Structure formats: structure tokens, C-alpha cells
Amino acid sequence: MPILAALQQVLPGRAFGPSDSEYDAGRAVFAGVGSPEAVVRPASAEHVAAAVRVAAEHGAPIAVRSGGHGSEPVDGGLVIDLAELDGVSLGEGRLVTVGGGARWGDVAAALEPAGLGVSSGDTRDVGVGGLTLGGGIGWLVRQQGLTVDALRSAELVTAAGEVLRVDAEQHPELFWAIRGGGGNFGVVTSFTFEAVPADGLAGGHLRFAQADAPAVLRAWREVVRADEALNSTLLVFPPFAPEVPAGPMVAVARRGSEAELRETLAPLLALDSLEETVLGPVAYSELLEDAPPGKPPFRFVGGNGFAPELDDALLEACLAALAGPAPTMLLLRTLGGAFGRVPAEATPIAFRDAETFVVVNAVLPQDAPEQQVAELRALHEGVLGRLSGVYGNFSEERGEHVIRAMYPPETLARLRRIKAEVDPQQLFRHGHAIAPA
């Protein structure tokens, strides 16, 4: 029996094929539109378990659609679309339970009346599931660490179709693996996080003249090193899109008054190249932006990693990349604080000694010649060669070489052992796929 017919028999009204509107909704993601054999839209963990068992019987790979923001289009196999599992419920002791299909804008809005937040991605439309399973470098990283550092338990459907509650005491190895090991170990239908105070924030942004990037980078480093309470991202945009002003932009958020924030930012506010200042009281939900409508029509050439130290040599390499022959974007994000106080072995995201997260990408036409791509990769190695690891949520590249860069050898070996125990057939192999030991 074809997989679609088998799913429709087991889950009537929940399994869809190419003639159904739900199929079109479930196969479309930020990066494009795929052609799976079927799309299932479950309303419970039991529905998910039933779909997984059918997929296992047919040997069909499973892709999970959470927010649909960072996913790849899927051809063949089964897509489980968690759109209906999107509840957000605040319980006792600042514990909040979030459905695997919720988006971070929903979470921020639900927690805001209580003055709470969970460190999340930069945009409202990013799915809770994908960002969390990949680690989660968010706006509260210095106060709460990664999103996975706030995770206290999860409801997980395994490749065997079992529904498990995983936490530090129940199935602790699985709980360790899903906190940064991606979607390799099952379908997470709900997450329980411990929220932190996120009220009384001041935030906003500063924009600078394009030519003053060297002074802005050095002043930003001084500012973020001086105040662990400050969360900040420095972005340097090239002149590649009319709606995005070229030059350095510093986004900031800090619990406290606007006056305290301005005092912290004094070295940046004193620069003559400052062109725009937008600072004031802000709600956590207002820090999250709307995602772009679709994948940009560009090719990004570069990479990312964790900088143990944002030293002068790394800053000079960043400036060399910005001055290269192609329009180039640079992102620097503060780490340290709570992020660095988590032991390296506590989660698969092991590069806890990092001071800064760094992304560098040249912006090229899709048909850029490979010689130009190779030359830019060599130039960017001046930055990337000084970094540790790769953050999978920001890496569009796939393959074993990326997996080996994402995790230290002992971490990857542990992930492979767990994969072999819970999914030896590799039903879950989309995205950054970890092969079983």
C-alpha cells in the first residue's frame, strides 16, 4: 500500500497528498517548495507516533516542519507539519510548555504579561522546534545562555513510534542529545522551558557611516566587554539592497533604564560617524523582527563559528573580508555570561569558551563563477580559520564535513552512539544528519 493511503487509513483527515491544500501548506518552507509523498498534520503526540510507525514500515525518511523558516524543501518521504501543536502555557515556577509547532513570536507575546521571556531567535516567525534543537543563540544569551540551556524537559516521539518524556532523570542521554544535536533523534512535540525575567528592558540600535567600520568594531568590542548585562549584535551590511542601509548597525538590549544603557554605550555614542540613534524602553517581543518573505535571490559564500577571543588579529581579518572584491556581510554577536558558565560537556554545543559568535558571508549572484567563489573562500579563511566549530542553525551547507565541524570528536561520537540506539535506520536524516555509530 502506498504510504499516503496507509497514512490516510491510520490518520483519517490528517494525511494529505498533492490534491490537498494542506499538502501545499506543509511542503512550503522559507527556502522553497518540496515534493514529499505525503504531509501529515497531527493534533497530538499520538498522531505523530502513528505517522512515524507508518513511515518506518515503508522505510520513508521523515522531515519535521516546525515554523518552516530554516528548513530545506523535502522531496520524497513524509513531512510531519506541527502547525496545530502551537500552544503556549505558563505554569508554576516560571515553567512554560510550548508546542513543537509554535513560533517565537507566539512565545514572547504569551510571556510578556508576566514580565518573562525565553532566549530565542531574532525573528517572530522562527519555529520553536528547529531553533531549540539546534542550540538557540538569542537575545538573552548572556542572562540565560542558549535556548537549550533553558530547556527542562521535552515530549519526544522516537523512530520506534514511542512517546517519551525526556529530562535530566528520564532518558538523560536523549535529553542531552536533543539540546543541540538537531532533529536527528525524533519529533519533539512539546518543550518545557524555564523562563527568566525579561521586563524593564531598554534597547534599540545605532547606525554608523559605512567608512567607519574599523572604529565601530573596536568601540563595540570595548562596550560589550565592559558590561556583561548588555546583549548586542553588530551587523555590517554591504550596499546590496535598497531597503537595507549600508554600513555598521549595532542592535542592543539590556535590563535597566535608558540612561544606564546610554552610559554603557558611551564609546559608540561618541563616534563622529554615528548617523542614527534609536534607544528607549522596549518590550522583549519588540526585539523580534518580522522574517523576510522568502529566501533572498543571492548566493551567500562564507561561514560562521565561535571566536574564543575577539582579538586584534580577528578584527583585522574581518575588516579584510569587508574590503574584499565582493559585497560582504559581517555579524558579530556577544556571548559570554551565562553561555560561558555552562560546562562544555553539558550539551552538544560545546564551544562554551567563546567570547563572540561570528558570521561572514559574501553576497553573490546565484550564477557566480566557481573561481570567484573559491577566491572568496580563501579570503574568508582569514576569519573562519581563527574560529572554533560551526553553528548549524546558521549553516546552509550540508554534509559530513559540516557535522565534523559542528561538534568536537568526543561530542560527535556520543551523538552517533545515541543515534544508533534510537534511530539506526536513519528515518530522521534531513538537515544536518548525524550518521549512527
Side-chain angles (χ1 to χ4, degrees), residues 88-158:
V88 182
S89 175
L90 180 60
E92 296 181 359
R94 301 198 311 220
L95 292 179
V96 55
T97 299
V98 183
R103 303 187 186 210
W104 282 112
D106 305 327
V107 179
L111 295 181
E112 195 166 288
L116 299 173
V118 176
S119 190
S120 62
D122 296 330
T123 57
R124 297 178 180 90
D125 292 335
V126 169
V128 169
L131 180 129
T132 301
L133 296 175
I137 299 175
W139 266 111
L140 301 175
V141 66
R142 288 178 135 187
Q143 283 69 56
Q144 195 176 30
L146 297 173
T147 308
V148 292
D149 299 332
L151 186 63
R152 297 295 173 259
S153 66
E155 183 180 70
L156 174 76
V157 178
T158 70

Side-chain angles (χ1 to χ4, degrees), residues 62-81:
I62 299 169
V64 181
R65 188 181 190 276
S66 176
H69 180 269
S71 306
E72 297 174 309
V74 173
D75 294 323
L78 169 64
V79 169
I80 298 178
D81 182 1

Side-chain angles (χ1 to χ4, degrees), residues 57-379:
E57 290 169 3
H58 286 75
I62 299 169
V64 181
R65 188 181 190 276
S66 176
H69 180 269
S71 306
E72 297 174 309
V74 173
D75 294 323
L78 169 64
V79 169
I80 298 178
D81 182 1
L82 300 179
E84 292 189 28
L85 300 178
D86 62 350
V88 182
S89 175
L90 180 60
E92 296 181 359
R94 301 198 311 220
L95 292 179
V96 55
T97 299
V98 183
R103 303 187 186 210
W104 282 112
D106 305 327
V107 179
L111 295 181
E112 195 166 288
L116 299 173
V118 176
S119 190
S120 62
D122 296 330
T123 57
R124 297 178 180 90
D125 292 335
V126 169
V128 169
L131 180 129
T132 301
L133 296 175
I137 299 175
W139 266 111
L140 301 175
V141 66
R142 288 178 135 187
Q143 283 69 56
Q144 195 176 30
L146 297 173
T147 308
V148 292
D149 299 332
L151 186 63
R152 297 295 173 259
S153 66
E155 183 180 70
L156 174 76
V157 178
T158 70
E162 297 179 283
V163 182
L164 303 178
R165 172 64 56 178
V166 300
D167 57 29
E169 296 181 353
Q170 304 173 83
H171 312 286
E173 282 294 277
L174 259 179
F175 184 57
W176 176 85
I178 66 171
R179 288 180 292 154
N184 285 282
F185 306 96
V187 184
V188 178
T189 51
S190 74
F191 301 85
T192 298
F193 302 99
E194 183 176 349
V196 294
D199 55 349
L201 290 169
H205 69 264
L206 310 175
R207 291 192 184 276
F208 299 85
Q210 185 176 4
D212 204 27
V216 175
L217 264 64
R218 290 183 174 86
W220 181 82
R221 179 179 63 180
E222 176 185 344
V223 163
V224 297
R225 282 178 171 174
D227 186 358
E228 190 179 281
L230 180 69
N231 296 281
S232 181
T233 299
L234 189 158
L235 287 156
V236 185
F237 293 108
F240 73 96
E243 67 274 15
V244 180
M249 190 273 283
V250 174
V252 294
R254 184 188 189 280
R255 287 193 83 204
S257 68
E258 180 184 343
E260 291 171 324
L261 177 61
R262 287 180 176 272
E263 183 178 353
T264 290
L265 298 177
L268 285 163
L269 293 170
L271 293 177
D272 292 338
S273 59
L274 180 62
E275 295 184 335
E276 181 181 58
T277 302
V278 178
L279 298 173
V282 63
Y284 181 75
S285 62
E286 294 173 330
L287 296 174
L288 307 185
E289 300 177 348
D290 292 323
K295 190 173 183 178
F298 309 116
R299 179 176 181 181
F300 294 108
V301 176
N304 74 72
F306 299 88
E309 183 183 2
L310 191 60
D311 58 17
D312 289 344
L314 179 53
L315 284 184
E316 289 301 323
C318 290
L319 292 168
L322 289 172
T328 297
M329 300 169 57
L330 175 69
L331 179 151
L332 304 178
R333 187 154 206 163
T334 52
L335 296 175
F339 170 86
R341 289 191 282 272
V342 175
E345 67 276 7
T347 71
I349 308 297
F351 304 101
R352 298 292 185 147
D353 63 341
E355 179 183 18
T356 312
F357 176 61
V358 180
V359 183
V360 59
N361 275 314
V363 183
L364 300 178
Q366 291 286 2
D367 59 354
E370 287 305 311
Q371 181 178 350
Q372 182 185 18
V373 171
E375 290 171 353
L376 286 167
R377 289 193 187 282
L379 174 62

